[in-house]
Amino acid sequence: MSVIDDVSKTLKVGDPAPMVLFEADEEHPLLADFQGQTIVLVFHSGDWDPGRHHQVELLNQVLSSLSHPVQALSIAQSGFWCNLDLGESGHLGFPLLHESKYGELSNLFGVEGREAIYVLDPGGIVQWAHVGPIGAQSTLDDLVESFTTPVRRKGDLSRRDFLVTAVAASFAMSFLSGIAEAVAPRPTTSSHIEKLASDTVRLDVNGKVHEVPVRPNVTLLDALRERIGLTGTKKGCDHGQCGACTVHVDGRRVNSCLLLAVMQEGKKITTIEGLSSGTRLHPVQEAFIKHDGFQCGYCTPGQIMSAVACIQEGHAKSTEDIQAWMSGNICRCGATIGIREAILAVAGSQG
Amino acid sequence: MRDFRYARASSVAGAIVAKRDGVKFVAGGTNLVDLIKYGAEQPDELIDITHLPLKEIEEMSNGGLRVGTLVPNSDLAAHPIVASRYPVLRQALLSGASPQLRNMATTGGNLLQRTRCYYFMDPAFPCNKRNPGSGCPAIQGQNRIHAILGTSDSCIATHPSDMAVALAALEAIIHVQGAEGERSIPISDFHRLPGDTPQLDTTLRSDELITWIEIPSLPDGTRSHYLKVRDRAEYQFALVSAAVVLRKDGGTIESARIALGGVAHKPWRATDVEEALMGQPSSLETYRNATSMSLKQAKGYGQNDFKIELAKRAMVRALVESEDHQA
């Protein structure tokens, strides 16, 4: 992927939006249908994404800074994302411009695969744009200003055009690793630093390799649950304190909520789903059932993964041992005694 | 979690060259990733150093132990030489965090972990460490877990590491590499007191990477022990901890090194107690006398006043229990 091209292709303030080039089916309206109104256009990943709530926050700010009625439209680059809760302003059903069949609109806007918010004036001209991850703080002053100052058409570069372009470029830089050197060469950059060429990570989970699109800020836990669909691993505290997210990486028990997915390439990950052999449960799973090692079950996958490792490590020889070495897994139903008995039973049977 | 760029370092030199403002090294990530989630750390880029060849534990020709910065806490605790010669280090490591976190956390990262002060971790509050000049709500606020020694008007945070307290009593040396080359820092000079720059936890320069930690050899017969006092039996930070390294000749104390945890911005060497113990008969009475007059400069902030007496008693108990832990 040529990153430079992507940036230069990205629609900027003053550009006319491609209103009529997009076809729609019965369920999905045509963008041209809304011409004559101010349109807020949101490009987003249809899947779960950690940046989404930032995007929603920014979208809320955009909508509240526009004093006149606007039409908010949603472009899901895959999947669905509509019916957004907008807090005080209530519930907003986004007309959805679903383009998974075409992939065309985000391409025309030059934001394919990225998150973006565009404000189009009633004439279909880009009034304001925010392209790239939303994590960085942005100011909406220029948006408000843009409705009092006429926007210059393309070819007539204003200072604000330049600023927005520069902002778009800098966001793209922070999102797409590798571009930093191309756009703003850093003489200090060494060949001993490998910038990731893409945002895809190969994760070996339960013996199967998954190519997972993730940003650097996605944890292994979220990649497992939300990208790969292995929801057996649970998110409890999300801060390494409860142990519900425990998985094995290269045979060791770890908290997947504090591991970055991009750092797990080349490692063997085992989750609760990988423990049984077909329908035959792992001895620790059987023991948890036999000894009543759970009530609500939420901490159970983490408890079992931790228990399997605890026994393998040789730290399950006594009750005191287990109390100490299972301390990273918290059960607030109070099934702790059953859990301990289950572990003791399996450890004892293995001599 | 806030977005950031990510890059992998394949050499120490490459990692150092790429390090600049806004860039953090990441290895275990147990503390850094957590703080990014809270918004207390906001790096623009993380450089993954886990592929660097800094994972070995080796015995040195001078009898000391060379520990690569990337050695996980669990592996260091389980190493036969650590278990046999440095019980204080093994005990400290195993008293910290949970088994899962110890598998992830590295030796260098453990030294560089940040305070667990509630106000530091919550960006909704002012904090001179996180946001210099914004104030310290802990001084007048919830300060049961805070420092009693070496505090300043800017910061009363404690360093949370158990391992670092043991390493302070063992007089470990931190070897680092930076743009200007390599240097070694005695652990007593590695962590710093807050003064009016509490944003700086250590004397490590921004371009420097910890490469390995040297644990000097101990004379035969040296005893060492780590005592951790906390609100629950496992998986809890220390209210007060004491690391003791004691050498005796018969019933007489030849030398004692004592470091306290949970009481200051750095592992606190109780040099007054060490001096008072030298040449004395090893007995409960000696220990009580030596500690009772100690820590004169300690200052409580209300909720943490109890730590002053607790620290003294922890030292006595650690000294007593060290009798059972001869290397």
Side-chain angles (χ1 to χ4, degrees):
Chain A
M1 161 166 62
S2 166
V3 174
I4 299 296
D5 284 351
D6 275 5
V7 173
S8 62
K9 229 172 60 181
T10 304
L11 241 57
K12 301 168 189 74
V13 172
D15 286 342
M19 282 292 179
V20 293
L21 295 171
F22 178 69
E23 291 180 32
D25 56 28
E26 285 173 15
E27 288 173 49
H28 302 114
L30 231 96
L31 182 52
D33 291 346
F34 298 100
Q35 205 156 7
Q37 307 174 46
T38 299
I39 299 173
V40 176
L41 204 54
V42 188
F43 291 88
H44 54 85
S45 143
D47 299 326
W48 173 90
D49 190 284
R52 180 181 293 172
H53 79 269
H54 294 295
Q55 197 181 21
V56 171
E57 260 172 47
L58 182 63
L59 177 60
N60 279 332
Q61 291 170 22
V62 169
L63 292 175
S64 61
S65 67
L66 298 172
S67 49
H68 49 284
V70 296
Q71 180 64 55
L73 298 170
S74 155
I75 315 278
Q77 296 186 340
S78 64
F80 293 87
W81 188 47
C82 53
N83 295 325
L84 192 65
D85 187 355
L86 289 178
E88 281 181 15
S89 21
H91 196 252
L92 181 71
F94 269 85
L96 195 64
L97 298 181
H98 192 44
E99 60 169 3
S100 59
K101 271 188 286 184
Y102 312 99
E104 201 174 344
L105 196 59
S106 54
N107 200 333
L108 287 168
F109 274 76
V111 295
E112 208 170 353
R114 282 187 279 172
E115 290 176 353
I117 298 178
Y118 276 94
V119 178
L120 309 181
D121 75 5
I125 303 297
V126 176
Q127 192 89 18
W128 183 84
H130 180 106
V131 181
I134 319 289
Q137 293 303 311
S138 61
T139 168
L140 297 181
D141 292 350
D142 58 350
L143 172 61
V144 177
E145 187 202 334
S146 74
F147 282 91
T148 53
T149 320
V151 171
R152 300 185 192 185
R153 297 276 166 159
K154 194 171 183 161
D156 185 3
L157 188 70
S158 71
R159 184 175 168 272
R160 198 162 53 74
D161 282 336
F162 172 76
L163 283 177
V164 172
T165 308
V167 166
S170 71
F171 280 129
M173 277 169 64
S174 64
F175 177 37
L176 299 159
S177 310
I179 189 179
E181 283 136 85
V183 172
R186 276 198 285 120
T188 53
T189 299
S190 146
S191 61
H192 298 290
I193 289 286
E194 178 196 351
K195 301 269 179 187
L196 285 198
S198 74
D199 285 336
T200 299
V201 63
R202 287 164 62 87
L203 294 178
D204 180 340
V205 186
N206 303 328
K208 191 177 161 198
V209 175
H210 301 259
E211 294 231 351
V212 192
V214 292
R215 291 202 186 152
N217 64 350
V218 173
T219 60
L220 175 61
L221 172 63
D222 286 336
L224 289 170
R225 288 181 54 84
E226 310 287 348
R227 305 278 187 189
I228 299 175
L230 292 172
T231 53
T233 307
K234 298 295 184 246
K235 182 183 279 193
C237 68
D238 207 23
H239 286 282
Q241 297 176 4
C242 75
C245 68
T246 303
V247 300
H248 297 179
V249 173
D250 287 342
R252 293 162 163 251
R253 48 176 160 161
V254 291
N255 298 115
S256 62
C257 74
L258 291 179
L259 290 174
L260 299 176
V262 286
M263 292 175 70
Q264 309 313 313
E265 219 155 18
K267 298 180 178 174
K268 295 214 171 298
I269 299 153
T270 308
T271 68
I272 188 75
E273 289 92 343
L275 216 51
S276 60
S277 322
T279 55
R280 209 170 125 232
L281 293 179
H282 187 280
V284 175
Q285 290 175 307
E286 283 180 342
F288 267 61
I289 295 170
K290 188 177 169 198
H291 293 273
D292 221 5
F294 49 86
Q295 185 177 313
C296 85
Y298 198 81
C299 73
T300 313
Q303 295 277 5
I304 289 176
M305 295 310 288
S306 197
V308 169
C310 183
I311 295 165
Q312 282 168 357
E313 292 161 9
H315 292 138
K317 295 196 170 72
S318 66
T319 300
E320 294 71 30
D321 228 11
I322 294 168
Q323 278 172 334
W325 288 89
M326 286 297 290
S327 62
N329 294 80
I330 292 168
C331 167
R332 63 181 211 182
C333 295
T336 317
I337 291 166
I339 292 168
R340 203 186 301 151
E341 284 171 1
I343 296 170
L344 265 179
V346 178
S349 73
Q350 294 181 352
Chain B
M1 203 183 342
R2 189 178 190 270
D3 207 4
F4 44 79
R5 291 187 299 275
Y6 168 78
R8 265 174 218 156
S10 53
S11 76
V12 172
I16 291 164
V17 164
K19 184 79 162 53
R20 61 204 149 73
D21 285 349
V23 176
K24 288 258 176 194
F25 294 133
V26 64
T30 54
N31 187 219
L32 180 58
V33 173
D34 197 30
L35 290 175
I36 296 173
K37 287 186 180 189
Y38 282 119
E41 292 271 17
Q42 303 196 342
D44 300 322
E45 178 169 338
L46 297 187
I47 295 179
D48 178 353
I49 58 166
T50 58
H51 298 266
L52 301 180
L54 303 168
K55 297 171 188 164
E56 305 300 320
I57 302 176
E58 292 161 300
E59 206 174 349
M60 299 166 68
S61 54
N62 64 10
L65 201 63
R66 178 190 174 112
V67 182
T69 192
L70 294 174
V71 171
N73 288 178
S74 49
D75 288 9
L76 186 55
H79 196 275
I81 292 179
V82 173
S84 61
R85 295 187 204 160
Y86 307 105
V88 63
L89 179 57
R90 177 180 161 82
Q91 292 159 352
L93 283 161
L94 293 182
S95 76
S98 69
Q100 289 97 315
L101 291 169
R102 294 196 293 267
N103 278 340
M104 301 159 71
T106 61
T107 310
N110 187 315
L111 289 173
L112 293 175
Q113 65 179 304
R114 318 241 23 215
T115 184
R116 294 321 196 273
C117 170
Y118 328 111
Y119 302 105
F120 168 74
M121 292 180 72
D122 187 345
F125 285 96
C127 168
N128 288 325
K129 184 180 279 299
R130 179 170 28 75
N131 185 12
S134 61
C136 174
I139 291 172
Q140 303 285 334
Q142 299 295 317
N143 53 34
R144 184 170 176 270
I145 65 168
H146 287 75
I148 52 170
L149 288 158
T151 54
S152 75
D153 293 341
S154 299
C155 182
I156 60 169
T158 58
H159 195 269
S161 170
D162 293 296
M163 184 195 79
V165 179
L167 290 181
L170 291 168
E171 297 189 333
I173 298 156
I174 319 301
H175 293 260
V176 308
Q177 197 171 325
E180 287 168 25
E182 297 177 25
R183 63 182 181 126
S184 50
I185 311 168
I187 190 161
S188 56
D189 296 336
F190 185 77
H191 296 102
R192 53 186 300 287
L193 291 177
D196 50 13
T197 50
Q199 67 273 24
L200 302 173
D201 291 351
T202 68
T203 54
L204 195 69
R205 291 196 280 259
S206 64
D207 61 297
E208 284 177 328
L209 174 72
I210 300 176
T211 47
W212 56 286
I213 288 99
E214 176 181 350
I215 308 171
S217 65
L218 294 175
D220 285 347
T222 305
R223 297 147 196 270
S224 75
H225 184 63
Y226 189 70
L227 174 76
K228 181 170 178 177
V229 184
R230 46 185 160 174
D231 283 330
R232 60 180 180 193
E234 291 289 340
Y235 197 11
Q236 178 74 284
F237 289 98
L239 287 167
V240 165
S241 67
V244 169
V245 176
L246 193 69
R247 202 166 75 240
K248 296 198 296 187
D249 181 11
T252 306
I253 298 166
E254 274 192 341
S255 83
R257 295 202 297 248
I258 303 174
L260 292 169
V263 296
H265 201 253
K266 61 185 285 186
W268 187 269
R269 278 289 289 274
T271 46
D272 46 0
V273 180
E274 294 175 4
E275 281 161 23
L277 288 173
M278 264 213 286
Q280 299 296 311
S282 65
S283 69
L284 183 60
E285 197 190 350
T286 300
Y287 302 152
R288 281 186 179 149
N289 287 341
T291 54
S292 66
M293 301 303 288
S294 69
L295 308 182
K296 285 204 176 70
Q297 67 279 51
K299 177 186 172 189
Y301 288 84
Q303 294 178 355
N304 67 351
D305 295 348
F306 71 98
K307 282 191 177 185
I308 300 171
E309 181 60 26
L310 188 61
K312 294 177 186 177
R313 296 191 191 187
M315 285 189 279
V316 172
R317 204 173 116 200
L319 285 161
V320 170
E321 289 181 359
S322 72
E323 306 277 338
D324 306 328
H325 291 90
Q326 185 166 342

